[in-house]
Each structure stands twice: as structure tokens, then as C-alpha cells.
Amino acid sequence: MLILQHMFVPLKISQKSLSAISPDLIQTLPAKLSGQQEIGELLVLMSQEPTFRKLAILGVPGSGKTTLMRYLTLIYASRKQRKLIHPEAPSYIPVLMYLRDVGKDILESPKLPLVDLINTWVQRLQTIEPLTPPSGWFAKKLKENQCLILLDGLDEIADETERRTVSQWVDFQMQEYPDLPFILTSRPLGYKHAKLQQPVTVLEVQPFTLAQVQTFIYSWYLETEVKSQDNDDLGVRDEAKLQADDLIKHIRDSAPLVAMAVNPLLLTMIATVHRRGSALPGKRVELYKEICQVLLEKRQRAKGLADKLTATQKQSVLQGLALELMVRKTRSFVLAEVEDLLRQRLRLVVKDEASPENFLKKMREESGLLVAKEEDVYEFVHLSFQEYLASVEIREANHEQILLEAFHDPEKLSWWSETSRLYAAQGDSSNIIQAAMECSTVESLALAFDCLEEGKSVTPSVRTDLEA
């Protein structure tokens, strides 16, 4: 487990109206930092301005909301807030509760007093030697406004009706303790349908800047190398810096990687794949594979969220959708255009009738792999994911002919070139390279060499012919 305070990069947070907050996993790189603040500055305002006592911090999947809440809890628990957060940070007793875990208690008793929930939550934190706060201790601290109530993950209560009930409970507690500081986190779409009715300041977590990306990578590599070698000397630090510099160069040289790196979760996955020895972007197919696994299942499992479909099943449906969009030479689609395709793919992976509309909604709200660019108009969060999933579908369904035919049309070749590279990285690339040589244009031969470099395997005679 990496040490959080060594890894944490202060997030930038801006005040926005709910309608202006994007739910997309990949956001544009912030051009300027005006109007953006760090959490320490907000905590100072919280102690000085009543309007900042109740905060709703919204952010896309992987933007660092939960990490921020854990960091605040750790720093306040160790009484280092003025050293590590802000020299004027107020003193609070942090109370972090995950709404997905305490939601059942609230649903069973919608008028459950905050103090009772806290006492129950604290006793659950340790199964061996459960913590037992002194009688009346939390009640006294709440009454004196000494606690900082951190409520994480409103969106992780999947049922919308139940989410609204929990939101109403939070409203009630804010009313009961008007001067007590509260911070609630959620994904934008999860909050939109169950927003708080009490006056709250709505804030949005901003994507990393390139400077923050660089800071994170240096910290991540140093902490990872120190932990793996159980040593922190100049040699270890030098090796960490060399690896970090290499990763930063790869990111700067690749527009898709830059787009992904501004999201802390995706940046962590990029760093993990890079450290394993998979060159970026040369073997970015491994990166996309790992990211899809994380977004489709591992994060759900880690947070204890149930799902009828496995990651493999969800990806199978998305693969068919991605290939269909590639064939149509488009990114955007509406439900009506792909409904039959989705229903057919869902029937192959689930026994019960599954709704294409619900599937698209879950892929947008939970995984973040799909976004809605406007009302009811969907697309993959980034073209590179559409291309990757299409390449996997072509490989699994033996549709290589689609890629081979693209060499007869320069416009088609341009559209399918990245999919061809990703396809080559998953298996034998001999036929692709052979077709490129037969086409014999500058563009096709450049693609052939890319496939040779990235390809998992190639027939020796085809390699010799291309090099000749």
C-alpha cells in the first residue's frame, strides 16, 4: 500500500452550477486556473463563511473524490492540517462515512440521528476490539461544531429512489446542525437526480494540469520504487526519476495519452502499465485492456457494488457496438440506431431480457466509457477506446477482412489505421503487413512498419520482405 500523504497531488476545485458540470470521464485539459482553489483554501472559507459550511464536491469517475476524502481524514486525524493543507486550516475532528456502507442504516430509519449513525459506524470500523467512543462524546462534539462530516459517494447508491431518500436524510442533518461543516461527494449524474435541497455550494473537481500530471508521476514512481526495493537511497531515487522522465516523455508525445492522463485514475493505470515494462505507446493495447478491466469491474468490486454482468460480458457488448460504429465511420449514435444490435449482444451474455437503454445508462454513469455529448446522443469517451474495442472484436470474431479491405481506399485506411495497429498488437500481423506492401503507398508502408513494431507476431518471410 503506497503512503497516501506522499502520493497526494492537491486537486483543483472550482465553483460551478450543476448544469455546467460535465459527467465525462475524460475532460479537456484546463487552460487556466482562474477561479480554481485547493481544498485547504476551501476549508479556511468553511470556517469563516457560513455559505461554505455545506459543500457538494462533484467529479467524474476516477477524478480523485474518494482519495481527497481519505486524505482529509488522514491529515486531520494526524493533526497535520496546518502543515500539509493550509497554514490557517481550521481544527476539526474528521468523520468519514461511505454512503454505500451506511445507506442501509439510513433506509431502515430515514430519521436516524447523525450521532447514532456515527456511533454505529465507528463500532463497525474494527471487528477485533471494536472502537467504543465514550458515552455522549460524539453528541458533545457535534453540538460544539467540532466535527467535519465527510459523506462519500452519494452516486454509489444505485437505486435512484433509495439515493433520494439518503439525500433527504443528509438534508435533514444539515438542517439539524446548521453550523456543522459537511462535505458530500458524488458523480455529477448521480447527484443531479438526488440533489440536496439545503443551500450548498456545488464544486467540481478539475482535471489535472500537465504540471500536476508530472508531479504525480514523480511521486508515484518514487514511492513505488522505494516500496518495491525496501530502500530509499540515491540509486533508488535516480532509477525512479529515469522511469518517470521516460513516462512523461511518452505522454507528452501522444495526444490520446495526454487526454487520459488528466484523469488521476487513468494516469495511475498508465503508470502501472509503464512500470510493468510495457512500452508506451508501443504496447498501448495492454493499457487499454487494463483500463477497460478497471472501469468495467475492478472498481465496482473494490467498492462492493453488485452487478449482474461481469466485465467480460459488458466488454463483449461494447465490442460489438464499437465495431458497428467503426463500420459506419462515426463516433456518435442514438439509442434507436443501435438498439437491435445491443439487444442481440445482451441476449448472448445474459439469460434474462436486458434493456439496451439501461445498459447504455450504466456504461455512462458507472464505467464512464460512454458519454452523452448532448441529450440522448452517445459516444465512447475517447475514440481510442472505440478503436481498441473494435480491434478486439475483429480479432475474436475473425473479421480481419474488414481491415484488409481498407487498404483499397485511402480514406478508409486513414479511419481504420489505429484499429489495425491495435489489432496487430494482439496476435499475428502478417496479413495486415502483406496487404500494406501490396498497396505500396507511403501511408500503407508506414502503417506496415507500425504493425511490425507493435505486432505480437509476424511470419519471418513477411518481416524479411518488408525490411527489404
Side-chain angles (χ1 to χ4, degrees):
M1 188 72 176
L2 301 181
I3 300 174
L4 181 57
Q5 61 263 44
H6 294 173
M7 294 286 306
F8 186 77
V9 175
L11 299 170
K12 296 291 182 181
I13 303 171
S14 66
Q15 190 170 349
K16 281 192 177 180
S17 65
L18 180 58
S19 61
I21 295 177
S22 168
D24 297 354
L25 176 71
I26 295 179
Q27 299 171 286
T28 55
L29 195 68
K32 56 181 181 178
L33 300 180
S34 58
Q36 301 184 8
Q37 298 168 303
E38 292 182 4
I39 190 63
E41 296 166 309
L42 291 168
L43 288 167
V44 173
L45 284 172
M46 183 178 274
S47 65
Q48 297 172 350
E49 301 287 340
T51 53
F52 280 85
R53 299 250 162 90
K54 311 291 189 279
L55 304 180
I57 298 180
L58 310 184
V60 301
S63 60
K65 303 180 298 294
T66 298
T67 302
L68 172 63
M69 301 288 261
R70 290 175 177 171
Y71 180 74
L72 286 176
T73 304
L74 174 63
I75 297 308
Y76 266 107
S78 58
R79 299 181 181 179
K80 295 179 180 178
Q81 69 273 10
R82 294 196 170 178
K83 179 182 178 182
L84 298 176
I85 297 179
H86 195 285
E88 297 178 20
S91 296
Y92 289 128
I93 299 164
V95 180
L96 171 60
M97 291 186 287
Y98 301 108
L99 289 173
R100 68 177 181 272
D101 294 331
V102 299
K104 290 181 181 178
D105 299 280
I106 295 170
L107 293 169
E108 289 173 3
S109 179
K111 296 294 184 182
L112 180 68
L114 177 61
V115 65
D116 291 351
L117 181 63
I118 292 174
N119 281 317
T120 301
W121 170 247
V122 168
Q123 290 175 39
R124 284 187 200 152
L125 291 176
Q126 292 182 185
T127 52
I128 301 174
E129 299 183 11
L131 300 173
T132 52
S135 178
W137 189 84
F138 270 115
K140 180 174 182 291
K141 299 302 179 184
L142 289 172
K143 188 176 181 180
E144 295 171 350
N145 301 315
Q146 292 186 30
C147 294
L148 173 61
I149 307 301
L150 304 167
L151 304 172
D152 185 60
L154 178 65
D155 60 286
E156 291 178 23
I157 299 169
D159 183 87
E160 201 167 293
T161 302
E162 293 180 353
R163 196 185 316 141
R164 287 199 192 100
T165 300
V166 172
S167 179
Q168 290 166 3
W169 178 87
V170 176
D171 269 324
F172 179 75
Q173 304 310 321
M174 288 181 171
Q175 211 169 9
E176 288 288 293
Y177 298 94
D179 295 319
L180 188 69
F182 283 78
I183 300 178
L184 175 139
T185 68
S186 177
R187 295 182 185 181
L189 289 173
Y191 183 78
K192 184 177 181 180
H193 301 296
K195 59 185 177 183
L196 297 170
Q197 300 305 307
Q198 287 294 307
V200 295
T201 299
V202 177
L203 304 163
E204 181 187 28
V205 178
Q206 296 298 296
F208 274 172
T209 63
L210 285 178
Q212 287 175 305
V213 168
Q214 185 169 302
T215 298
F216 176 89
I217 291 172
Y218 282 127
S219 299
W220 186 90
Y221 251 113
L222 177 59
E223 192 64 22
T224 303
E225 290 299 320
V226 168
K227 180 174 174 59
S228 67
Q229 300 190 35
D230 196 22
N231 190 15
D232 184 5
D233 59 22
L234 289 176
V236 171
R237 287 177 171 268
D238 191 53
E239 176 61 25
K241 185 178 185 304
L242 287 172
Q243 294 276 12
D245 286 340
D246 182 66
L247 175 53
I248 289 167
K249 182 181 183 303
H250 278 301
I251 290 174
R252 286 183 177 276
D253 291 345
S254 169
L257 289 181
V258 169
M260 287 188 278
V262 300
N263 180 286
L265 171 67
L266 300 187
L267 179 55
T268 303
M269 297 314 307
I270 290 170
T272 301
V273 173
H274 179 263
R275 187 174 180 274
R276 286 176 184 166
S278 298
L280 298 174
K283 292 185 180 177
R284 59 193 178 285
V285 67
E286 295 298 327
L287 171 64
Y288 295 136
K289 180 180 179 180
E290 184 68 25
I291 288 175
C292 287
Q293 282 289 316
V294 170
L295 295 179
L296 292 173
E297 183 174 57
K298 290 181 181 177
R299 294 189 79 229
Q300 297 287 100
R301 191 192 307 153
K303 293 190 174 190
L305 302 177
D307 202 322
K308 290 181 180 179
L309 297 178
T310 66
T312 302
Q313 290 171 328
K314 285 182 275 192
Q315 181 166 318
S316 175
V317 178
L318 290 174
Q319 286 172 200
L321 173 61
L323 180 56
E324 179 66 20
L325 295 176
M326 290 300 296
V327 169
R328 294 183 188 182
K329 295 178 66 177
T330 185
R331 288 192 64 189
S332 302
F333 63 94
V334 297
L335 174 62
E337 295 172 338
V338 298
E339 190 167 11
D340 290 342
L341 168 70
L342 291 178
R343 185 171 284 111
Q344 180 184 358
R345 300 288 296 204
L346 285 166
R347 283 174 181 163
L348 294 175
V349 297
V350 289
K351 184 178 180 181
D352 302 323
E353 182 74 18
S355 162
E357 184 177 7
N358 289 341
F359 176 80
L360 289 180
K361 183 180 178 183
K362 286 176 77 69
M363 289 303 95
R364 183 192 180 195
E365 295 185 7
E366 295 180 8
S367 78
L369 277 173
L370 292 179
V371 298
K373 303 310 292 181
E374 52 187 277
E375 192 64 32
D376 299 325
V377 179
Y378 290 89
E379 63 183 44
F380 280 92
V381 66
H382 196 277
L383 179 58
S384 59
F385 286 101
Q386 178 176 312
E387 291 165 328
Y388 164 70
L389 290 166
S391 74
V392 178
E393 178 67 13
I394 291 170
R395 179 67 69 180
E396 291 182 356
N398 296 315
H399 289 325
E400 186 181 62
Q401 193 61 33
I402 293 174
L403 301 178
L404 299 180
E405 289 173 357
F407 286 96
H408 302 301
D409 184 335
E411 191 178 337
K412 269 190 176 182
L413 182 61
S414 175
W415 174 248
W416 286 98
S417 60
E418 181 65 6
T419 306
S420 297
R421 292 186 188 95
L422 292 165
Y423 172 84
Q426 299 169 57
D428 187 87
S429 58
S430 302
N431 292 339
I432 297 291
I433 294 173
Q434 190 70 52
M437 287 192 291
E438 291 172 4
C439 182
S440 197
T441 64
V442 172
E443 291 77 14
S444 69
L445 291 175
L447 177 59
F449 276 104
D450 287 344
C451 291
L452 180 65
E453 180 184 349
E454 299 188 33
K456 193 172 183 180
S457 63
V458 61
T459 304
S461 60
V462 172
R463 178 192 295 272
T464 300
D465 289 346
L466 178 61
E467 291 175 345

